[in-house]
Amino acid sequence: MTANVTKLEDNKVRIEVEVPPEAVREGVEAKVRELRQKVRVPGFRPGKAPRRMLESHLGRDYIYMEALQDRLPSWYSQAVIEQNLRPIDRPEIHFDEPLDEEEGFRFSATVAVRPEAKLGRYKGLEVPKRKVEITEEDVEARLEELRGQFATLGAVEDRPVAEGDFVILDFNGEKMTGGEVPGASAEDYMLEVGSGEILEDFEKNLVGMKAGERKQFAVTFPMDYEEESLRGQSVLFRVHVKEIKERELPPLDDEFAKEASEFETLDELRGAIREELEEAARRQVEGEFRTAVLDAVAKEAEVEVPEVMVEDKAEEMVESFERSIRAQGVDPESYYRMAGVSRDEMKERVRDDAADTVKKELVLDAVVAAEGIEPDREQIEHEIGHIAEDGGRKPEEVAETMRRNGTYQILEEEFARQKALDFLVENAVPTEMPEEEEEKVEAAAEGGGAAEKSVTGEE
């Protein structure tokens, strides 16, 4: 099969394709075999009618048109892959002559393809970078966190409940108008007071109670409570505090270091914690810097982002979100109901991020082209090896399938973009970040907002 591509206006191309006679014959014969099994021809058993009788019964034009409907999409896809095109919409297909097993078949397709970004300055850009700084307070906080993991609970007998205590209690909830509230009763329930595990007002009412004390109090459920029937309802709780326990932390000494780690002394453990925090901070800052460099390069570039690409990317992002919550055992439809949002509204919320991601993908593609960047073949083989192992197939088979359906090209694209971003970062000039901006970035990092975007294919 041969194909010629002509560039048109508005990021469109026309592909003129010539399908050889042997490919046409193969398509027609495959359709004949299929129809033999489905169509009953008088005087012949199913699957036994000669082709000429099938043509007489159905008409050659009908068989050819059926074969064309089956094969045209694959002929078009093959031409797209061979010509290394990136369609972003459905093609308009045109042909004048029908299939011909002797002469072959010719058709053309007009389709919109990815626009090319016009790069501005992309090398030597000055980009602020946050300093990696771990304080003694950071080390001590991590040490206290580790210490808490080895805490024990000891009985409290000489004082009432305080926030942070663990209590073992029985409780029963009743509607103010009478009748028990489903799920609002328990026996020997252990609760960390102030943890927010139960309603805030419920936990506050436990503070000051003594072991063995009984108490009743009313709690009003918030308007955003998960169970709709309880929203805004006042419930009377009868509570019996049976035991009070407090967290007892082990002393910070060498014995603790031996128990909590592979180190012999507390000083060694502190040093290891500092190294761990510094390495995590370096990775965080590097991720922030990579994101900032790509932002800066994209700001310098000119690119028109087609709406169809934004729509596809938004759909892809929502599907990715749905897969992630399914993996956590949450049904997407149930999530949308609980969140009070529809799937379409969710897609609309991510639309700006989708447009930004598409723009940056196009910018990285332009850098790949400008610098002649090639994807790392070892990385691709490694990835295909993983896919093959998961599917119980040979890597060569997986690679061939991916080449035929175009996913190999997508994999190459992703790895080339990663190398393009590496190139941009290597050629950027890090500058000192102003203190106010650094505080904002640190706050965003603590909230998970500084993670590198999926446009790079990295976590």
Side-chain angles (χ1 to χ4, degrees):
M1 190 170 71
T2 60
N4 293 309
V5 178
T6 304
K7 288 188 176 183
L8 307 175
E9 294 180 347
D10 300 324
N11 294 312
K12 290 186 177 182
V13 297
R14 182 171 62 250
I15 317 166
E16 296 176 341
V17 184
E18 290 189 14
V19 183
E22 56 268 24
V24 173
R25 282 195 294 272
E26 181 185 338
V28 172
E29 287 296 337
K31 179 54 65 176
V32 168
R33 289 193 296 272
E34 179 187 332
L35 292 172
R36 274 200 187 107
Q37 302 299 323
K38 294 180 178 180
V39 178
R40 185 173 181 80
V41 179
F44 295 91
R45 295 195 306 276
K48 298 298 182 180
R51 174 175 170 175
R52 59 185 176 80
M53 296 304 297
L54 198 64
E55 288 180 352
S56 177
H57 185 70
L58 295 173
R60 178 178 291 185
D61 289 346
Y62 174 81
I63 295 173
Y64 276 17
M65 186 54 66
E66 287 289 303
L68 182 59
Q69 288 181 353
D70 275 3
R71 292 302 171 110
L72 188 55
S74 63
W75 291 336
Y76 166 74
S77 296
Q78 185 180 341
V80 164
I81 293 170
E82 288 179 358
Q83 295 297 314
N84 199 31
L85 297 174
R86 305 290 193 278
I88 61 173
D89 208 348
R90 294 178 180 276
E92 294 179 7
I93 304 290
H94 307 277
F95 57 90
D96 297 322
E97 300 294 332
L99 294 182
D100 191 315
E101 292 178 77
E102 299 300 325
E103 299 293 330
F105 178 64
R106 295 177 179 81
F107 71 94
S108 67
T110 302
V111 66
V113 294
R114 288 184 190 174
E116 296 178 359
K118 183 179 179 182
L119 294 172
R121 285 199 313 130
Y122 65 94
K123 288 185 282 192
L125 287 176
E126 293 186 351
V127 180
K129 186 174 185 178
R130 190 159 59 94
K131 296 188 297 290
V132 175
E133 187 175 353
I134 298 299
T135 65
E136 286 302 317
E137 288 77 10
D138 295 328
V139 175
E140 291 304 313
R142 178 68 184 92
L143 197 57
E144 284 299 316
E145 183 183 322
L146 183 61
R147 191 181 177 202
Q149 295 172 12
F150 286 82
T152 57
L153 294 179
V156 173
E157 297 177 351
D158 58 349
R159 63 170 178 79
V161 175
E163 190 165 309
D165 285 343
F166 289 80
V167 295
I168 297 174
L169 70 162
D170 297 341
F171 62 89
N172 180 62
E174 295 181 357
K175 295 179 181 177
M176 300 298 283
T177 55
E180 290 193 358
V181 178
S185 301
E187 293 182 357
D188 295 325
Y189 188 90
M190 179 177 279
L191 170 70
E192 182 181 2
V193 179
S195 66
E197 183 178 336
I198 300 182
L199 295 173
E200 182 181 357
D201 287 348
F202 180 98
E203 295 186 16
K204 282 182 177 179
N205 272 283
L206 299 178
V207 175
M209 292 183 69
K210 297 179 180 179
E213 184 178 348
R214 297 176 186 271
K215 181 179 179 181
Q216 65 179 32
F217 50 81
V219 171
T220 300
F221 281 71
M223 294 304 295
D224 60 352
Y225 193 68
E226 183 177 334
E227 176 56 52
E228 291 186 28
S229 63
L230 292 176
R231 292 175 183 173
Q233 296 295 313
S234 293
V235 174
L236 179 67
F237 282 97
R238 292 184 173 84
V239 176
H240 176 205
V241 173
K242 293 181 172 180
E243 296 179 55
I244 306 172
K245 296 178 181 290
E246 65 180 349
R247 192 192 302 268
E248 295 180 348
L249 298 171
L252 280 176
D253 53 22
D254 291 346
E255 287 304 313
F256 169 72
K258 292 176 185 178
E259 182 183 4
S261 70
E262 71 272 24
F263 301 102
E264 293 294 320
T265 68
L266 186 59
D267 285 343
E268 289 177 335
L269 176 57
R270 276 198 172 96
I273 287 175
R274 172 173 285 281
E275 288 180 6
E276 175 189 309
L277 292 176
E278 285 175 344
E279 178 58 29
R282 275 193 290 271
R283 290 196 300 269
Q284 179 69 53
V285 168
E286 188 59 32
E288 295 168 5
F289 184 62
R290 290 169 70 83
T291 299
V293 169
L294 184 53
D295 285 339
V297 174
K299 189 175 181 180
E300 293 281 330
E302 295 179 17
V303 56
E304 183 178 341
V305 179
E307 183 59 31
V308 65
M309 293 185 71
V310 176
E311 175 67 21
D312 288 348
K313 182 60 67 174
E315 176 66 25
E316 180 185 316
M317 293 169 76
V318 171
E319 287 177 355
S320 176
F321 167 74
E322 290 175 345
R323 283 194 300 273
S324 69
I325 62 173
R326 279 196 193 97
Q328 300 170 37
V330 179
D331 176 63
E333 288 301 321
S334 299
Y335 170 85
Y336 292 138
R337 284 196 299 272
M338 290 170 57
V341 63
S342 70
R343 190 178 191 278
D344 286 342
E345 288 172 331
M346 178 66 78
K347 189 191 289 189
E348 191 59 34
R349 288 181 183 181
V350 303
R351 187 169 291 277
D352 287 347
D353 285 340
D356 183 63
T357 299
V358 171
K359 178 179 180 179
K360 288 172 181 173
E361 287 178 345
L362 294 172
V363 167
L364 287 174
D365 290 342
V367 175
V368 168
E371 295 296 328
I373 294 172
E374 293 289 337
D376 190 315
R377 295 297 157 187
E378 287 187 7
Q379 282 186 310
I380 292 176
E381 289 174 7
H382 185 69
E383 183 67 22
I384 290 175
H386 275 306
I387 297 170
E389 186 177 347
D390 291 342
R393 301 170 63 192
K394 293 181 180 179
E396 298 80 10
E397 294 175 355
V398 173
E400 182 57 32
T401 300
M402 292 177 70
R403 285 190 178 93
R404 287 199 304 269
N405 62 25
T407 52
Y408 191 93
Q409 185 183 43
I410 294 173
L411 196 61
E412 287 182 313
E413 233 170 44
E414 287 302 314
F415 283 117
R417 286 173 182 163
Q418 286 184 29
K419 287 185 69 175
L421 183 53
D422 291 341
F423 173 85
L424 293 176
V425 171
E426 289 167 5
N427 283 273
V429 179
T431 60
E432 185 175 345
M433 183 176 288
E435 187 173 338
E436 289 184 4
E437 186 179 345
E438 188 162 337
E439 289 174 358
K440 290 180 182 178
V441 174
E442 285 178 355
E446 289 173 4
E452 188 168 349
K453 295 190 177 180
S454 61
V455 66
T456 67
E458 299 177 44
E459 297 297 332

